[in-house]
Amino acid sequence: MAFSAASPLTKPQLRKTLLAQRRSLPVTTWQQDNVALISHLQHSDLFQRSHCILAYFSIHQEPDLGELFHQPVPEQKTWCFPVIRGQTLA
């Protein structure tokens, strides 16, 4: 998707546009893209060297990293997730 510099989207407009794009993806396309992303991350040197991983739980057809949480890894990794309390990210 191309965005015009002449009429930049506000952050809420951009979120809404990207959410609509994700939701319009066929499920098979989303699944294939997700498998490719997981594979890319698993083989990434940065991921393999990392001890602490900041992650999230997928909503609204975001990439789903859940498979990574259960993969056997040579070293122990600490997974960190955001906590939302009301409207605040803690």
Side-chain angles (χ1 to χ4, degrees), residues 1 10-11 31 40-42 47 62 64 76-77 83:
M1 169 185 255
T10 64
K11 194 170 185 178
Q31 289 170 334
H40 176 76
L41 289 172
Q42 285 175 322
F47 177 79
E62 294 170 328
D64 185 359
Q76 180 66 28
K77 295 194 182 297
V83 175

Side-chain angles (χ1 to χ4, degrees), residues 53-69:
I53 310 290
L54 304 179
Y56 60 88
F57 292 104
S58 173
I59 60 171
H60 304 299
Q61 220 170 345
E62 294 170 328
D64 185 359
L65 305 177
E67 187 178 324
L68 287 175
F69 311 151

Side-chain angles (χ1 to χ4, degrees), residues 3-4 7 10-11 16 24-25 27 29-30 32 34 38 42 45 50 57 65-66 71-73 76 80-81 86:
F3 296 103
S4 168
S7 59
T10 64
K11 194 170 185 178
K16 187 176 181 178
S24 71
L25 279 176
V27 173
T29 301
W30 177 82
Q32 290 169 348
N34 200 72
I38 295 296
Q42 285 175 322
D45 185 53
S50 297
F57 292 104
L65 305 177
Q71 293 290 322
V73 291
Q76 180 66 28
C80 301
F81 298 91

